[in-house]
Each structure stands twice: as structure tokens, then as C-alpha cells.
Amino acid sequence: MAKRAVAGQVKTRLIGRLTPDQAALTHQALLDCTLDRLAAWADSRNSTTLLVFASTGAQVQDLQSNRPHAPGLWREVGQGGGDLGARIERVWRQVGSGPAVFFGVVSPDVPLSALDAAVTLLAEADAVVGPTDDGGYWCLAARRIEPDLLARIDWGTNRVYDQTRAAAEAAGIRLADAPAWTDVDESGDLDRLMDR
């Protein structure tokens, strides 16, 4: 899931070290990298659709024209309002209640083998999360809509992963962990990404 790269509205925790315009350019670079990598991954798995949640059809048209190796993968689906959990659930219901992998733009260099592992783990688990070192996760995969994994989560905090695990346990959802990775939220995260 992605936001449009609007200065002052994205990568705000990098503002100070970066100007709002530079933070927006950083967000756009993360988005472009993520989309290119996921398009290649989806193509290699014969996946039917990659979803990009944008606010304008023009952005999706740009994605199509700039990525000719991935025709037909991009679809615009509005996120609507509410917290991240509400938006994920709303999008999931719009596109069908079956298996899905939700992936943001904050982990642009996660090894594709880790994404393969997340999908493979769904053979045994109801849902899979890929933990990050800041207490969140880089992906959520599930066989079907699992609203219990999305409600009452303090999104954007270091409690997301633990709260998701507790919610899964309370709801009887078999939750597995994909390989851990890192994400890009803070200035130090950006330094580590550039080093990699």
C-alpha cells in the first residue's frame, strides 16, 4: 500500500534531515524501487494482479507506461479513510476475500526469497507477518480476510507486531513469521538502506 509522494505528507520523520521536497523524492524512489521489484516477483510467480493504492488514475497510468515489463499488473483501488487496519480491510474486501499479500514501500530491498517464504508459509498458517526491527512488520499475508488481525492495533508504533501476534492468538488464527527485515522510517534507517 502506498501514498502519493506529496511533500509534507510522506516520510515526515525524515523532515529535518531532509526538506519536505527531498522527503517526498525519497518516498517516490522507495515506491519506484518497490514496484519494480514486486512486478518482477509477481511475474515470476504468475501472479494475476499487483495492486497500487493511489488517489488518481493518472498515477496508475504512469505506472503502466513506465513499466512495460509488467502490463496489466497495476490497478487503482481507493484506500478510503480510517487507520491502516481499516484501510487494509476495506481494500481487501474490494478486491475479493481470498489470499493476499500486503506490502508497503518502507522495505524496498527486502530479499525476494523472504517474500517467497511468506507465501510458502501460508500452506501451514492462516496468516504470515514479516517482523521488522522497530516492532512493526514489512508484510502481511493471509489466506482470507482476517479482520481480527487489523483491529485495535496501534499502527505506526513499536507495538504493531506484538499486538498482531496477541490478536491472532486471541482469535485462534495460526500466525507464522516470515524472515525478519528492516524498514525505512527514521534517518538512521535511510543510512542503513544506502549502505546496503
Side-chain angles (χ1 to χ4, degrees):
M1 295 180 70
K3 296 178 183 176
R4 290 181 58 225
V6 177
Q9 295 181 20
V10 292
K11 291 287 152 224
T12 55
R13 287 186 263 177
L14 296 178
I15 296 174
R17 172 182 175 174
L18 304 177
T19 67
D21 286 338
Q22 290 170 327
L25 288 171
T26 299
H27 176 83
Q28 186 64 52
L30 296 172
L31 176 60
D32 289 342
C33 179
T34 299
L35 294 178
D36 286 340
R37 293 184 78 234
L38 290 180
W41 177 81
D43 188 52
S44 73
R45 296 186 64 88
N46 295 316
S47 292
T48 56
T49 308
L50 260 175
L51 299 170
V52 175
F53 309 111
S55 59
T56 66
Q59 185 175 4
V60 175
Q61 291 169 0
D62 290 344
L63 292 172
Q64 290 282 34
S65 62
N66 292 334
R67 290 167 177 81
H69 63 281
L73 286 176
W74 313 112
R75 229 173 102 191
E76 177 185 6
V77 179
Q79 294 183 33
D83 69 12
L84 181 58
R87 288 179 285 143
I88 290 173
E89 183 177 351
R90 183 178 301 110
V91 166
W92 209 339
R93 291 189 188 284
Q94 287 181 66
V95 300
S97 59
V101 179
F102 286 89
F103 190 94
V105 302
V106 294
S107 298
D109 68 332
V110 66
L112 295 184
S113 59
L115 201 47
D116 284 334
V119 173
T120 300
L121 286 165
L122 285 179
E124 302 295 326
D126 299 317
V128 176
V129 292
T132 56
D133 53 4
D134 65 355
Y137 53 77
W138 58 264
C139 81
L140 168 66
R143 294 183 191 191
R144 61 190 168 277
I145 293 175
E146 296 285 5
D148 290 322
L149 295 179
L150 305 171
R152 297 173 302 282
I153 303 294
D154 296 321
W155 300 104
T157 72
N158 62 359
R159 298 184 297 277
V160 170
Y161 172 80
D162 289 338
Q163 289 176 338
T164 302
R165 289 210 65 79
E169 185 174 342
I173 298 168
R174 294 173 301 151
L175 185 67
D177 282 352
W181 196 245
T182 187
D183 57 14
V184 179
D185 288 320
E186 308 282 346
S187 182
D189 303 328
L190 184 59
D191 291 339
R192 288 185 288 278
L193 174 64
M194 293 184 339
D195 287 345
R196 288 193 302 276

